[in-house]
């Protein structure tokens, strides 16, 4: 919910608090990872609002839980939260279409983070078409202690000979028909060709998830996070516990723990 003079926005597990304050000259960011947040969205947002004759003033406190440089759109979600919150706090001067255009200037997936849901993304990611959501299932998210540069991944991808060709139509058909196993069998991410080659441990996580009962696995975004779909909560929980507590997931990182999250996705959550 948004409030008149202050607001909190929750994207995933990042929490951001906004307070308008006309006694400061610009937006001030406090909390963790402030340098990254300023680089990712604060300066671009300020410039965009200035271009449109608005000068937002106040304070933003951010508490980040989504891993940084993990391929989970944490920065884009933060940028979308700032856009939505400031627009609300300034009595909605911008339409949804204007916000989406502003978001696309910050990052290709910011428009998606503003709209949410299950979407088919085209163009550079800014052209969105709603598709049927997945039904109830369990998602296990595993993030190894690696930071990936998204610009580097895209740059390298432009240099390689492609071998992965996603069947988007088959995936959309499976979503429309509530075909859980059809969805799992049509998961695809072309960026794996770059990131897994550089960091084979990501491929190892995928293999272990499959061996431990996942029905479908995929690297998220540019990596290194991997998610697995499970139809058996017990299996997902058992493997999550193994990764978190026994250190047996991959010996390479036994002294640097993984970040793991087990989510129960209901019909109306996507």
């Amino acid at each position: 919910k948004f409030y008149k003079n202050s607001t909190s926005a929750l994207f995933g597990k990042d929490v951001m608090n906004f307070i308008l304050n006309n006694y400061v000259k610009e937006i001030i960011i406090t909390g963790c990872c402030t340098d990254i947040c300023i680089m990712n969205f604060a300066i671009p947002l300020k410039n965009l609002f200035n271009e449109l004759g608005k000068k937002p003033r106040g304070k933003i406190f951010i508490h980040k839980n989504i891993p940084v440089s993990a391929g989970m759109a944490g920065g884009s979600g933060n940028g979308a939260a700032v856009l939505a919150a400031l627009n609300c706090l300034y009595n909605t001067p911008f339409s949804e279409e204007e916000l989406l255009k502003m978001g696309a200037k910050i990052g290709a997936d910011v428009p998606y983070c503003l709209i949410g849901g299950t979407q088919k993304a085209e163009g550079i990611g800014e052209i969105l078409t709603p598709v049927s959501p997945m039904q109830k299932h369990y998602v296990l998210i595993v993030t190894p202690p690696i930071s990936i540069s998204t610009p580097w991944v895209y740059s390298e991808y432009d240099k390689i000979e492609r071998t992965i060709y996603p069947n988007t139509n088959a995936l959309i058909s499976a979503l429309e028909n509530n075909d859980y196993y059809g969805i799992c069998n049509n998961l695809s991410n072309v960026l794996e060709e770059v990131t897994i080659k550089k960091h084979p441990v990501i491929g190892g996580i995928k293999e272990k998830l499959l061996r431990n009962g996942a029905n479908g696995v995929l690297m998220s975004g540019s990596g290194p996070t991997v998610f697995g779909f499970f139809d058996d909560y017990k299996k997902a929980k058992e493997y999550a516990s193994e990764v978190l507590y026994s250190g047996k997931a991959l010996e390479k990182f036994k002294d640097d723990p993984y970040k793991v999250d087990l989510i129960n996705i209901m019909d109306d959550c996507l």
Side-chain angles (χ1 to χ4, degrees):
K1 294 183 178 180
F2 296 111
Y3 299 92
K4 180 68 177 177
N5 293 315
S6 66
T7 183
S8 296
L10 178 65
F11 277 71
K13 288 190 175 182
D14 284 359
V15 179
M16 305 177 72
N17 298 308
F18 301 79
I19 301 175
L20 295 184
N21 186 342
N22 290 326
Y23 293 101
V24 298
K25 294 182 179 180
E26 56 186 14
I27 290 291
I28 298 173
I29 299 177
T30 61
C32 59
C33 304
T34 53
D35 290 344
I36 293 173
C37 293
I38 290 171
M39 179 180 67
N40 281 346
F41 63 82
I43 292 175
L45 278 172
K46 183 180 70 173
N47 291 340
L48 285 168
F49 270 81
N50 287 343
E51 287 175 12
L52 294 167
K54 303 293 179 181
K55 295 183 179 181
R57 298 178 178 184
K59 295 181 179 181
I60 300 174
F61 174 82
I62 178 167
H63 178 77
K64 284 195 67 65
N65 287 301
I66 297 174
V68 176
S69 300
M72 298 182 70
S76 297
N78 297 155
V82 172
L83 273 176
L86 290 180
N87 194 49
C88 179
L89 292 173
Y90 280 89
N91 298 314
T92 320
F94 305 120
S95 66
E96 181 179 273
E97 182 179 355
E98 289 174 315
L99 285 179
L100 293 176
K101 289 180 179 179
M102 293 166 69
K105 292 181 179 180
I106 301 168
D109 49 359
V110 172
Y112 168 78
C113 292
L114 282 164
I115 295 177
T118 306
Q119 306 277 344
K120 176 184 177 182
E122 299 176 273
I124 62 169
E126 84 287 9
I127 303 171
L128 301 170
T129 305
V131 297
S132 299
M134 284 188 73
Q135 301 303 308
K136 180 180 177 179
H137 62 289
Y138 305 100
V139 183
L140 181 60
I141 302 169
V142 182
T143 304
I146 304 170
S147 293
I148 304 293
S149 167
T150 298
W152 175 84
V153 172
Y154 277 95
S155 174
E156 291 299 307
Y157 181 72
D158 288 337
K159 302 174 185 176
I160 67 172
E161 182 177 348
R162 296 159 178 78
T163 60
I164 298 176
Y165 296 92
N167 191 338
T168 304
N169 290 333
L171 181 59
I172 292 175
S173 177
L175 285 165
E176 291 175 346
N177 291 296
N178 296 326
D179 180 2
Y180 171 75
Y181 295 103
I183 294 169
C184 292
N185 292 332
N186 284 285
L187 298 175
S188 183
N189 182 350
V190 298
L191 300 181
E192 289 186 343
E193 294 187 271
V194 173
T195 309
I196 292 181
K197 184 177 180 180
K198 176 72 172 179
H199 300 284
V201 67
I202 298 168
I205 296 171
K206 292 183 64 179
E207 293 173 4
K208 284 184 175 288
L209 281 168
L210 289 171
R211 288 203 300 268
N212 283 272
N215 307 115
V217 300
L218 197 66
M219 184 181 78
S220 176
S222 54
T225 298
V226 174
F227 63 88
F229 289 153
F230 287 79
D231 57 7
D232 187 322
Y233 177 79
K234 183 178 179 181
K235 289 182 179 179
K237 187 175 181 180
E238 286 176 352
Y239 186 60
S241 298
E242 178 182 337
V243 174
L244 280 172
Y245 301 118
S246 71
K248 294 180 181 178
L250 288 164
E251 290 299 316
K252 181 176 179 181
F253 294 120
K254 64 182 179 180
D255 296 323
D256 197 351
Y258 284 56
K259 294 179 176 66
V260 179
D261 203 358
L262 178 57
I263 303 172
N264 181 0
I265 301 294
M266 303 300 292
D267 298 2
D268 58 351
C269 288
L270 288 177

